[in-house]
Amino acid sequence: MECIEIRGGKPLYGTVKLQGSKNAVLPMLAGCILHPGVSRLEHCPRIRDVQDSIRLLEALGCRVWWEGSCLAVDASRICTWKIPEEIGARMRSSILFLGALLGRLGKACLPYPGGCVLGARPIDLHLEGLRKLGARIEESASCIRAEGERLRGTEISLRFPSVGATENILLAAVLADGETVIRNAAREPEIGELCRFLQEKGADIRILPEGEIIIRGSARLQDSRHELAADRIVAGTYLLAGAVTGGRVTVERMPFSHMEAVCEVLKETGIKLEKNGASLTADGSGGYCGIELLETAPYPGFPTDLQSPMMTLLSTARGTSRIRENIFESRFKIARQLQRMGADITLTGREAIICGIPKLRGAEVEAFELRGAAALVLAGLQAGGVTKISGYRYIYRGYEQIFESLKELGADIRQEPVSQRRAAFVKGLPEQAGTQSVTAKG
């Protein structure tokens, strides 16, 4: 295991260009197998979740290759409906192949999905929706098996607007007989983009203003090329990096229409936002203040994926803030690590009370999931002294070349093998001032 070392306290300045959306591309990669031909995804991010999806597609018999920043998938020769456990169990989005395999082959077998540890992430809504389409599903201790040679359209009302369940039902319904109506569907931008991707393949899909999605089953799909929208979560992370360091960072290719809630929260803290064409600049040189309540919610509310990075910002804001997490009950894992850096955070159930301090201090901390890793990187950039983050590789699941981009903005970041740290400890060398050891916990 290695750690990343950040010498913080330096304002960041400069411009970054956004990658394609992680949360949009993963269901599209599952959707590629619906058509026995070639699908191309322009502006595809080279992140670990995409690489894992490529391995999964290749295990199913697909041919996958890069054409510059475009990823091409030829699914004409799928040879199995079983997803290997060593691949499927490590990624949350593997569950989306359940609906896609049912749609293409009428059968599917996959391990329970993995991904970040964020508390209960049940798949019951996925399975309920697929069963209503006519799939027969059996769950064992190790895997999920599904059969449905002739899926039939129906009306499905989701109890919660789950993004993953909406995507899985969409993927299964595209080739089903008749019409499928999804009520209380998720409204995240990534849902709309998945629908456009499938429409470009010839699918008959309509999204109604009330949030309903209507799918008329198609006999077959066609080759397609789709350009991915920019990643709104990565955009928010870089804007926060500029603000939390008291610097000025410009993000190009901004998905403005998808970030209204995020921009409103940043403005509420006093961060200056300047729009210039397709770019947005966050200026934190004037400081920022706490907010009375930040509450995560399904789109168009504030995204849970930016809650941890916002916790870092509010830890150093003037005044007291309150965060209420309504999506994942374990999103507050980052709080204990920020406390090691001096943050004043009190947790009560799904709420966090944060009393801002002027400066965090460098420490040894550990990341346990993707967005928490991003939050700790932001904390290290703001903190005085040296911050060492183990488990930082989670960040590669969703951020393309983030450390290279931060270095170009002026960050002092380097990678350090753990063996060097252990050797220093054995020799009795003093630790950096302001750091403290952390015992790793799984």
Side-chain angles (χ1 to χ4, degrees):
M1 181 189 288
E2 295 173 317
C3 75
I4 205 82
E5 180 180 287
I6 303 174
R7 295 181 181 273
K10 299 180 179 180
L12 300 187
Y13 295 98
T15 301
V16 292
K17 188 172 184 179
L18 290 178
Q19 65 188 58
S21 171
K22 164 192 177 290
N23 289 339
V25 72
L26 299 181
M28 290 181 196
L29 289 171
C32 287
I33 70 174
L34 290 171
H35 167 57
V38 178
S39 307
R40 285 180 167 84
L41 298 171
E42 300 273 6
H43 203 54
C44 183
R46 292 178 181 258
I47 55 177
R48 199 182 81 191
D49 273 14
V50 167
Q51 295 301 331
D52 286 343
S53 293
I54 290 172
R55 291 179 60 213
L56 196 158
L57 288 165
E58 290 174 337
L60 293 174
C62 298
R63 190 166 67 93
V64 187
W65 67 97
W66 288 94
E67 299 172 350
S69 64
C70 175
L71 185 67
V73 180
D74 183 350
S76 57
R77 296 185 178 180
I78 290 181
C79 59
T80 181
W81 41 269
K82 295 182 179 180
I83 293 178
E85 181 177 1
E86 65 272 16
I87 301 175
R90 66 179 288 176
M91 54 186 298
R92 177 69 183 175
S93 62
S94 64
I95 188 64
L96 299 176
F97 282 82
L98 182 59
L101 284 169
L102 278 170
R104 170 77 182 273
L105 302 177
K107 288 184 177 182
C109 178
L110 68 159
Y112 285 97
C116 291
V117 180
L118 297 172
R121 303 180 77 178
I123 58 172
D124 55 326
L125 295 178
H126 300 242
L127 304 187
E128 287 175 15
L130 296 175
R131 285 187 173 115
K132 288 183 178 179
L133 289 170
R136 300 179 298 280
I137 300 175
E138 296 181 2
E139 296 183 73
S140 68
S142 59
C143 68
I144 304 166
R145 291 179 175 271
E147 292 187 11
E149 293 78 7
R150 300 293 295 178
L151 298 180
R152 297 187 181 279
T154 187
E155 293 192 5
I156 299 171
S157 296
L158 294 175
R159 291 180 279 109
F160 177 83
S162 162
V163 174
T166 300
E167 292 168 341
N168 232 333
I169 296 166
L170 268 167
L171 293 170
V174 163
L175 297 177
D177 293 337
E179 182 178 276
T180 300
V181 179
I182 309 175
R183 305 189 192 279
N184 196 31
R187 301 191 186 190
E188 271 69 8
E190 294 78 19
I191 296 295
E193 193 164 359
L194 175 62
C195 290
R196 286 189 292 276
F197 164 77
L198 294 170
Q199 287 166 340
E200 291 161 357
K201 301 192 76 61
D204 186 348
I205 302 173
R206 286 185 296 145
I207 302 178
L208 302 185
E210 309 83 59
E212 292 182 0
I213 301 177
I214 300 175
I215 310 106
R216 294 184 183 274
S218 305
R220 60 180 294 120
L221 302 177
Q222 63 194 21
D223 288 3
S224 63
R225 181 183 292 269
H226 179 84
E227 183 174 355
L228 283 160
D231 194 306
R232 61 193 176 106
I233 306 303
V234 174
T237 304
Y238 281 119
L239 292 173
L240 287 169
V244 77
T245 61
R248 182 180 170 87
V249 170
T250 298
V251 178
E252 295 182 338
R253 199 171 172 258
M254 275 290 298
F256 286 106
S257 61
H258 301 161
M259 297 195 64
E260 292 181 0
V262 174
C263 289
E264 285 302 313
V265 168
L266 293 180
K267 290 177 182 177
E268 189 177 347
T269 67
I271 294 167
K272 295 180 181 178
L273 298 180
E274 302 171 14
K275 182 179 179 181
N276 183 14
S279 300
L280 185 67
T281 300
D283 188 339
S285 59
Y288 41 87
C289 61
I291 54 179
E292 183 177 346
L293 176 63
L294 171 64
E295 194 167 7
T296 62
Y299 189 84
F302 190 89
T304 183
D305 281 352
L306 280 176
Q307 184 260 97
S308 294
M310 273 300 300
M311 180 177 282
T312 295
L313 182 86
L314 296 177
S315 294
T316 58
R318 296 186 299 270
T320 300
S321 305
R322 182 161 56 107
I323 296 177
R324 181 180 298 149
E325 173 57 54
N326 293 316
I327 309 299
F328 296 125
E329 71 271 19
S330 294
R331 255 315 175 198
F332 288 152
K333 282 182 177 291
I334 192 65
R336 182 171 178 269
Q337 305 304 310
L338 291 175
Q339 288 169 344
R340 293 180 181 276
M341 302 179 72
D344 185 347
I345 303 173
T346 302
L347 302 181
T348 306
R350 285 181 175 261
E351 290 196 356
I353 307 299
I354 307 165
C355 297
I357 61 174
K359 197 84 173 171
L360 296 172
R361 62 174 182 268
E364 292 193 11
V365 292
E366 182 176 7
F368 300 96
E369 43 87 18
L370 167 60
R371 306 305 175 185
L376 288 178
V377 169
L378 296 186
L381 293 171
Q382 197 275 347
V386 177
T387 298
K388 296 182 179 181
I389 307 170
S390 58
Y392 73 93
R393 288 186 175 273
Y394 281 109
I395 207 167
Y396 294 141
R397 286 193 50 227
Y399 294 83
E400 183 178 51
Q401 296 185 323
I402 183 171
F403 296 121
E404 290 81 358
S405 296
L406 290 173
K407 287 177 183 178
E408 290 179 3
L409 296 173
D412 185 346
I413 302 174
R414 69 182 182 90
Q415 200 170 328
E416 177 188 315
V418 167
S419 58
Q420 291 181 10
R421 297 160 59 208
R422 287 178 179 165
F425 177 79
V426 170
K427 292 179 180 178
L429 297 177
E431 294 185 84
Q432 292 286 341
T435 65
Q436 57 188 124
S437 297
V438 178
T439 302
K441 293 185 178 180

